[in-house]
């Protein structure tokens, strides 16, 4: 399997609840390498662009409020099959439906405050990496 780079974001509830270290440790044990880690406070207009595919959903404005409510950690992660492996390790969008021992099951509060983001395809990863780290070539 090919080594890939994917995009990951540790969300504001994880920073607020002091779960960053546990989540990074979980990712490291899963074999991910951290090519880049940056704490950032995102603006509403940046987040609207990041979550553009959801702009017509009823939860969109609450999602933007949540993601801009405090700092996040943006990461570029590498590993074999990184994109799909991260999705497995994260668990389902709704923490209540996520498999036991997944990051969202362990650290998510609810479907909005679900602890972590991971790109859903290599195409999304390349768009999201370029948005967060425009100066980098991964
Ligand atoms: P994922 O983050 O698993 O890729 P998604 O792309 O469908 O899920 O949605 C992006 C984010 O939007 C998700 O992490 C949390 C929020 N979200 C999704 N569905 C929601 C819902 N029904 N109510 C509130 N927030 C929701
Ligand atoms: Mg998604």
């Amino acid at each position: 399997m090919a080594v890939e780079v994917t995009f990951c974001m540790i969300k504001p509830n994880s920073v607020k609840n002091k779960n960053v270290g546990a989540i990074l440790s979980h990712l490291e044990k899963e074999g991910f390498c951290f090519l880049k880690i940056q704490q950032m406070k995102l603006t509403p207009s940046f987040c609207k662009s990041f979550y553009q595919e959801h702009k017509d959903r009823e939860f969109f404005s609450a999602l933007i409020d949540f993601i801009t409510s405090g700092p996040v950690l943006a990461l570029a992660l590498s590993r074999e099959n990184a994109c799909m492996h991260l999705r497995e390790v994260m668990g389902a969008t709704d923490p209540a439906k996520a498999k036991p021992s997944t990051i969202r099951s362990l650290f998510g509060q609810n479907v909005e405050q679900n602890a972590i983001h991971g790109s859903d395809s290599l195409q999304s990863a390349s768009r999201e990496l370029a948005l967060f780290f425009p100066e980098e070539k991964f």
Side-chain angles (χ1 to χ4, degrees):
M1 246 179 272
V3 173
E4 300 170 350
V5 181
T6 196
F7 176 71
C8 175
M9 179 172 68
I10 299 180
K11 296 187 180 184
N13 62 315
S14 302
V15 178
K16 205 172 292 167
N17 296 332
K18 304 209 178 293
N19 289 323
V20 170
I23 292 171
L24 292 178
S25 172
H26 198 112
L27 293 171
E28 197 167 41
K29 286 188 188 116
E30 286 292 335
F32 289 99
C33 295
F34 306 127
L35 302 186
K36 183 102 184 168
I37 304 183
Q38 193 170 323
Q39 181 163 309
M40 307 166 84
K41 178 83 165 62
L42 305 177
T43 65
S45 72
F46 182 93
C47 292
K48 284 178 189 163
S49 169
F50 174 61
Y51 277 127
Q52 63 189 21
E53 68 181 293
H54 299 299
K55 67 178 169 40
D56 297 324
R57 305 292 297 274
E58 71 291 349
F59 59 77
F60 186 66
S61 79
L63 177 62
I64 301 304
D65 286 349
F66 165 58
I67 292 292
T68 57
S69 67
V72 301
L73 265 78
L75 297 99
L77 298 180
S78 80
R79 210 200 91 120
E80 280 193 357
N81 195 31
C83 184
M84 284 310 118
H85 193 71
L86 178 60
R87 296 288 301 189
E88 278 170 34
V89 165
M90 278 168 33
T93 307
D94 182 350
K97 297 182 186 148
K99 286 185 190 150
S101 301
T102 56
I103 293 172
R104 282 170 162 173
S105 160
L106 291 169
F107 303 112
Q109 265 81 61
N110 53 50
V111 69
E112 175 188 86
Q113 302 197 17
N114 59 8
I116 187 168
H117 166 88
S119 306
D120 63 7
S121 66
L122 281 180
Q123 196 183 349
S124 299
S126 107
R127 183 184 81 84
E128 294 169 1
L129 287 166
L131 193 60
F132 276 81
F133 304 123
E135 72 291 1
E136 302 280 350
K137 284 259 178 288
F138 293 107

